[in-house]
Amino acid sequence: MKSLSRLLIVVASAATLACPSAPKRVVYDLAGRIAVADRWSPRDVLLFGTPAAEPHQVEGFYREAAPPKGDSFLWSKGEAEISLTWPTAEPRVGVVDLAPYRGVKGQSAEVLLNGARVGHVTLNDLRYRYRIALPAEAQREGDNRLRFVFAATASPADDPANPDRRQLAAAFYSLVVAPARDEGLEDLLARDAPHPFSVMETGSAPALVEIGPAVVRYAVRLPPGAELRFSPDLHPSARAAGAAASFRVTVETRPGEEREAWSRVLGPRDAAPGELSVALPGGAGDIVRVGLHVGGTAAGERHAWGLWTAPRILGRVRGDDGAAGAPASLDGPPPPAEERARARPLRQATAGMNVLFIILDAARASELHAYGYARPTTPEIDRLAAEGVLFERAYTPAVYTLAAMSSVWTSQYPERHHDAASFSEPLPRGRLTLAQLLSAQGIQTAGFVANPIAGGLNGLDRGFTEFHEVWREIGSGGDSFRQVVPAWLRANKERRFFAYVHFREPHFPYDPPPPFATRFGPDAPLTKEQRRDAAFFTDVNQGRRSISDAEREHLVRLYDGSLAFADQEIGGIRKALQAEGLLERTVIIVAADHGEGLMEHGWIGHNVQLYEPLTRVPLIVRFPSGKGPASRRVAAFASLLDLAPTIADLFGVMGRGGSDREFQGRSLLDVMAGGPGRAAVLSRTVWDRPRYALRDERYKFIDDTRTGDEQLYDLRADPDERRNLTSTDPLRTAYYREALQHWTLGLARPAAAGAAGRVFTRAQCEDLKSLGYLGPDVKCPEN
């Protein structure tokens, strides 16, 4: 599978990469994208484990980090509730696809609709579909709640070797609901009936299954020479039932203008037509929506079950940029040898150096003077930036400390490092941390934290040789480090070390000490009690109290004062390094775990929003004089996930201890040496069902997995994110929706997942090459 950066390079620069004589390769594997495609059916169809189902999952479901092989599903707790919206009350029938958790024998469930009991289901030992009558008298117009109350649960932790302590009742695969008069719904209860919007293997190629009438639409950015290839056929069970189905391909090049590009009707005696090709209208880089329609015929719609074998979009793209499938991660594959060679002089120059890593808590990049802020908030950090490298577009993977710092230490997205655990729980054991990697190589590792969230309470001290919770031992103010850090540097100056200092500032409470409270203006009108009172800001955020322009301006001054206070203390640490002769033997990295909202979008704080002030963070790397780049600004995107690989690279231990397999980020030394960086970054909020934001060179897309609400911003024309384009640019919205959802579903997959990591027979390999899934340069096994 290819990376986000590789994919976006393809779609953004396709015209420059294209070569008329280049062979066409798969750019979009449509069967592999069914989970995020726009699916339509006259019936209510929920595919659990896909993003479209999440707003319907009221409670009682565990959000799986890594999609399982085969059809997607979700584990339920002892009770699970689903939301369904119906315009009127009428007799309906539901078909639910369930499997009991393997640890529960004789599982059963009571089924309630809006609190009224409507059925009882006794589950088979394996996956099976069950019919549930939904009487009109139990329904209501608008929102309806379907609840399953299971008889028993079991935990994977019943196996002593498994740390997963969830209580599981059953796996939910799908739910299909239709009016009771829909005879086709009853057909789905047959043992050989296909599953809705599923994928089945047909030889070496996947086949998309549609239960008509239905449409699957894909929003794609066209590669050069774009064409759709597929092999249409009836599902074997449809042929056995003597049914026919109509097949259509449509292309929407402008919103609302869906035009037919191909169509055909297949009857039970018709031979499958073989592979077909449809040229897609539009130029390279255009966003279009391709629709695959299956419907009935004049004879009726029952058993109108169609297959699209190997549906894919091909184009003329270069090298591995045209590889099939979805990215397994957002960081990309390891850089090629020539890129690594470019950074070799930098690696050699920094060999034997120490690393001091400083985190400012809740520091937004836009408030640092080095990032263009008018106020002189950060003269010491500005000095480091002038002597080193400033990343103009560094982003956090999560806008809250627990997940952000877990991602820093593990170089993994939250969906991987927390996996089945709740995102509010400590970092699960078994995740390789940077400190563990360094300590195992004999490097002295020490942590000093002023924020309790960043400490042992959440497992973030794991692997450090020594860890000082300064907030507990001395205090949480930035000046507390004066009592421990200089002495530690003095005691360890003869050893090679990694030191981590985590400031609380400029995080709430917004109450800097004198003279910083008045550094940028009068200390009013917010009182000292208000600025220290979390309830005050909660009332503002919840709309129970308004905040005046004067109060908001004072809030910003206080925040800036806190940042200036921390900057002063960073200057003190620099002096301590210099006093011990360590300044020119130590690489200094300054970053933030996340940013902060200061009422730009009606919110003070972080956790819940994904606008630029909360996701964009400072990242500055200062090398000893003459040992690395200086006075350089890097415009490429970077993520906090890249810090652990970068630091491991500086210590010469990257790849050891399994870090090459575990880390999802990549070393920034290659970028600082002139190599390409990321083409996009991903961030998320708190909660198990979070908001996600995908940000690329021009656009940012935000998706709320709980409600389905979406936002799209053109940051080039609207840097303050004020004009939501979802209603005026639906094709682009659909494209970014699919891209974000496709990538977030793959965050927890191992990097080797996908066609490139699988082992094929020679026949399978040759088939995949002929279809464009594997490049012509791939060598197939001899037998």
Side-chain angles (χ1 to χ4, degrees), residues 363-378:
R364 46 201 260 173
S366 59
E367 226 78 358
L368 276 68
H369 187 66
Y371 281 83
Y373 193 47
R375 287 177 178 157
T377 50
T378 51

Side-chain angles (χ1 to χ4, degrees), residues 335-456:
E338 58 269 21
E339 287 185 26
R340 295 282 295 171
R342 184 182 297 164
R344 187 176 297 122
L346 180 57
R347 293 184 175 91
Q348 293 172 342
T350 55
M353 297 290 176
N354 307 305
V355 174
L356 171 65
F357 177 40
I358 297 173
I359 284 286
L360 296 166
D361 207 299
R364 46 201 260 173
S366 59
E367 226 78 358
L368 276 68
H369 187 66
Y371 281 83
Y373 193 47
R375 287 177 178 157
T377 50
T378 51
E380 293 292 340
I381 297 175
D382 298 347
R383 183 181 176 189
L384 293 173
E387 296 170 347
V389 180
L390 181 148
F391 286 83
E392 294 179 339
R393 296 189 295 184
Y395 285 77
T396 181
V399 292
Y400 61 111
T401 299
L402 173 54
M405 293 310 299
S406 294
S407 290
V408 167
W409 296 136
T410 63
S411 185
Q412 293 181 352
Y413 287 94
E415 287 68 20
R416 181 177 301 183
H417 62 60
H418 266 67
D419 193 20
S422 169
F423 290 101
S424 62
E425 294 182 6
L427 177 64
R429 294 194 173 276
R431 299 291 181 264
L432 175 69
T433 69
L434 174 66
Q436 288 174 318
L437 176 64
L438 299 182
S439 296
Q441 303 303 317
I443 297 162
Q444 185 72 9
T445 56
F448 306 85
V449 298
N451 181 346
I453 300 299

